[in-house]
Amino acid sequence: MTAPKAIRLYPAIDVREGRVVRLAQGDYARETRYPADPLAQAMAYADAGVDALHLVDLDAAREGGYTLLPLLRAIAEDGRLQVQTGGGVRGDDDVLRILDAGAARVVVGSLAVKETARVAGWLQQFGAERIVVALDTRCDDDGVWRLPVHGWTQGSGIELDALLDRYAAAGARHLLCTDIARDGMLGGPNFALYQRITQGWPAFAVQASGGVREAADVAAARNAGCEGIVLGRALLEGRFTLADALREVAAC
């Protein structure tokens, strides 16, 4: 497979109780808080020269009911960042409110696993460019990739491959896939998983997520066939800068 010519950076801001945080392997009990205000952090990313942002409502991911509309509006009004955002998306009204508040795309996670037909309907209703299917996955003891839900706190028993087939058939375009074992651990993304997906389901524009540790991971994700990469903890902790990552993009 020929790797895409470019890869897009998505700095991530995960918000819990109004604070910028990161969770280790999706565990709400293993939270790291960062001092920046979420809006100030978003503006800092825009100042650094990126044009996209991945915004997550962690409170809503467990309880439902997206709560970050004021923050989303403020970022959208600035005009420099295209925001993809989710957490707690449960119904048509959630999608409409998020899009009306200025999001470029709505990220759908738990519902994409539990109610495939509804999300497939959204792909038709709102267009494949406005929906990101987020499939967060763990490899079980038998080597099968399965999909937990509700902020990664509950098992679904559903296999990743089966859902990839369904969403490919439904016309999904944007796929964000996280290997939960890598998330927040700074051990490097699971490039083998992403290469498997991009080769097996080439219609998806895959975003790598989980475990990014250095700017070189940007080029590695691109070489695995990904069209985007989410940058979380390593960026917040200064292990590399957006300037470093942007140089990797330019070199691709």
Side-chain angles (χ1 to χ4, degrees):
M1 174 181 175
T2 301
K5 293 182 179 179
I7 187 167
R8 194 176 199 185
L9 305 180
Y10 293 86
I13 296 178
D14 294 358
V15 181
R16 186 181 183 199
E17 298 176 348
R19 302 284 298 275
V20 177
V21 306
R22 291 293 296 169
L23 306 181
Q25 296 179 321
D27 185 348
Y28 281 70
R30 299 164 66 193
E31 173 189 277
T32 301
R33 291 193 171 193
Y34 298 92
D37 169 81
L39 180 58
Q41 187 67 65
M43 296 300 97
Y45 288 151
D47 291 342
V50 296
D51 64 358
L53 182 74
H54 182 72
L55 178 64
V56 181
D57 187 338
L58 285 176
D59 294 310
R62 287 205 298 186
E63 306 298 332
Y66 186 85
T67 67
L68 300 182
L69 290 177
L71 173 61
L72 172 59
R73 289 192 187 98
I75 297 170
E77 286 170 2
D78 176 77
R80 291 180 291 169
L81 296 171
Q82 291 191 348
V83 183
Q84 62 178 34
T85 184
V89 176
R90 300 290 187 264
D92 295 23
D93 288 347
D94 292 322
V95 178
L96 287 166
R97 288 188 304 121
I98 292 169
L99 292 176
D100 286 347
R105 301 187 189 117
V106 178
V107 180
V108 185
S110 292
L111 210 70
V113 178
K114 297 189 301 178
E115 297 190 33
T116 309
R118 174 181 283 194
V119 177
W122 290 344
L123 291 166
Q124 298 301 313
Q125 180 179 354
F126 300 106
E129 286 299 323
R130 307 304 300 276
I131 301 292
V132 179
V133 175
L135 301 181
D136 302 336
T137 187
R138 285 191 183 102
C139 191
D140 66 17
D141 293 339
D142 296 322
V144 177
W145 290 97
R146 299 189 187 276
L147 299 157
V149 292
H150 291 302
W152 305 342
T153 61
Q154 298 177 16
S156 70
I158 297 173
E159 296 184 14
L160 174 64
D161 288 12
L163 229 48
L164 292 174
D165 287 341
R166 292 180 195 174
Y167 281 113
R173 171 65 178 154
H174 296 283
L175 173 72
L176 190 155
C177 188
T178 301
D179 178 353
I180 295 169
R182 304 289 184 108
D183 191 67
M185 302 306 291
L186 299 174
N190 191 333
F191 297 118
L193 173 63
Y194 298 128
Q195 188 169 38
R196 178 175 176 272
I197 293 171
T198 57
Q199 291 180 350
W201 294 267
F204 292 131
V206 177
Q207 298 176 25
S209 171
V212 173
R213 59 187 169 183
E214 58 188 2
D217 288 334
V218 173
R222 178 258 189 189
N223 290 337
C226 296
E227 296 189 24
I229 185 168
V230 177
L231 310 176
R233 178 182 168 190
L235 197 59
L236 288 167
E237 296 183 356
R239 294 172 184 266
F240 62 89
T241 67
L242 277 177
D244 297 329
L246 286 165
R247 280 192 288 271
E248 293 287 336
V249 172
C252 288

